[in-house]
Amino acid sequence: MTVERILPTAEAHDLLDLVRDLIGKEVAPRAVADESAGRFPREVFTVLGRSGLLGLPYPEEYGGAAQPYEVYLQVIEELAAGWLAVGLGLSVHTLSCFPVAAYGTAEQRAELLPEMLGGELLGAYCLSEPQSGSDAAALTTRAVADAEGYVVDGVKAWITHGGVADFYTLMARTSPDGGRGISCFHVPAGTEGLSFGAPEKKMGMRSSPTAQVRFDGARLGPGALLGAEGEGFRIALAALDGGRLGIAACAVGLAQAALDAAVAYAGERRQFGSRVIDFQGVGFMLADMATQVAAARALYLDAARLRDAGRPYGTRAAMAKLFATDMCMKVTTDAVQVFGGYGYVEDFPVERYMREAKVLQIVEGTNQVQRLVIGRALAKGTAAS
């Protein structure tokens, strides 16, 4: 069903109409075949970019659309409902652009952002490593300064768009000083010494490549540094606050798709002479699913409005990511149950939705990390009420 949305402007309503039209024509029709084949839909992101969707929350002067996060995230939700790989891919790209937009010099923004936001380039975000996922401050990839810039050595792991992105936003160690020794860099895909592992063989999201990104003496010019040396960990955390809201929106979109499929099936399937939806056991299950989806949507939008108002929102973003992704796992699992045996076969979409939902509890900080963030804020008395 079409979600009834309260949007801040008429322009935002037109934008959501455009997104739904693109999903119907360019996104949803190819999702099943591309997921089955493990085929990355690069051209879909080009279409999104040329439609103005790859730079929604960024300034118009650099090719963005200057939309509030409240609107941007609802675009993500709609895309994820049509095809999670595309919704999540847009979220990752937006995350990858953030350090240039927020911490780059005027020259870096003018040089890099127009192509990054205009649809010609697609980004990836390189923070996690094989031995440092949740403990990001323990990363070991090194960027050693010399007279010509930096030389980078190390391996990044679990990188969405690894091997297919046009640029990589890299967090690397420039000093041994823990979190204060990490810096942020912009790395074009053609950089010498940059290579990639084979795509991971995943439970779901098979059309979205996830791979190691390897740096073997990769040389970066001095202009590759974003922000000051040692500021990278702060940049990474700021980026992840927004990224977690993107994942929350993805989770709501995927859960909405599962709910819609379950309601439609239960309304058509007949057992014992009645529609399945008319049995109280199924009707109550669907009612709980719908309530949980609506609650998760309200929570991520609340966090987005805090961000748009310039108020602290990191704890609320962690809450939204935690609640929405746990909700999505439950709702997609229940959707399979509504379908019965048919839910367990690839002929119906809920089988794929359930497999895809699991990764949302892991990416952008596991849900255990989200609980840690929220608990620490409560202990400090800084959690929003």
Side-chain angles (χ1 to χ4, degrees), residues 172-314:
R173 184 164 298 287
T174 48
S175 86
D177 191 18
R180 292 184 293 273
I182 296 170
S183 301
C184 183
F185 299 89
H186 175 81
V187 184
T191 299
E192 186 175 352
L194 178 64
S195 64
F196 310 96
E200 304 289 351
K201 297 179 180 179
K202 299 177 297 184
M203 179 189 298
M205 293 271 292
R206 294 169 180 166
S207 63
S208 176
T210 303
Q212 288 191 348
V213 178
R214 300 166 180 165
F215 300 86
D216 184 12
R219 176 161 290 285
L220 307 178
L225 178 68
L226 300 173
E229 270 199 16
E231 197 175 17
F233 195 60
R234 184 163 71 88
I235 294 173
L237 294 181
L240 286 173
D241 282 342
R244 285 167 180 164
L245 289 182
I247 298 304
C250 283
V252 173
L254 183 61
Q256 183 70 58
L259 171 63
D260 291 346
V263 169
Y265 180 81
E268 297 170 358
R269 177 74 167 168
R270 302 187 73 85
Q271 294 284 280
F272 306 104
S274 299
R275 299 184 307 165
V276 170
I277 200 170
D278 294 322
F279 291 108
Q280 190 177 81
V282 174
F284 280 13
M285 181 183 292
L286 293 171
D288 286 343
M289 292 161 67
T291 301
Q292 292 291 296
V293 172
R297 179 179 294 117
L299 184 54
Y300 90 64
L301 286 174
D302 180 63
R305 289 164 184 146
L306 285 174
R307 186 188 196 278
D308 290 334
R311 295 170 59 183
Y313 74 101

Side-chain angles (χ1 to χ4, degrees), residues 53-182:
L53 300 181
L54 289 191
L56 286 174
Y58 294 117
E60 290 178 309
E61 64 182 300
Y62 299 115
Q67 288 295 319
Y69 245 63
E70 173 187 2
V71 173
Y72 155 69
L73 290 174
Q74 292 184 79
V75 170
I76 292 283
E77 182 194 327
E78 292 277 352
L79 287 169
W83 188 359
L84 179 60
V86 175
L88 188 140
L90 176 55
S91 178
V92 168
H93 175 77
T94 303
L95 172 72
S96 304
C97 294
F98 174 82
V100 174
Y103 292 88
T105 64
E107 292 77 11
Q108 286 172 323
R109 292 196 297 269
E111 177 186 354
L112 299 173
L113 280 179
E115 283 191 309
M116 292 165 68
L117 305 181
E120 300 307 315
L121 302 182
L122 185 66
Y125 187 76
C126 297
L127 177 61
S128 294
E129 297 184 359
Q131 303 303 321
S132 64
S134 296
D135 185 10
L139 66 83
T140 59
T141 296
R142 302 182 316 279
V144 178
D146 63 15
E148 299 177 15
Y150 296 87
V151 178
V152 183
D153 289 280
V155 178
K156 295 294 180 177
W158 312 112
I159 306 305
T160 300
H161 301 156
V164 300
D166 300 294
F167 68 91
Y168 296 83
T169 298
L170 168 68
M171 303 300 164
R173 184 164 298 287
T174 48
S175 86
D177 191 18
R180 292 184 293 273
I182 296 170

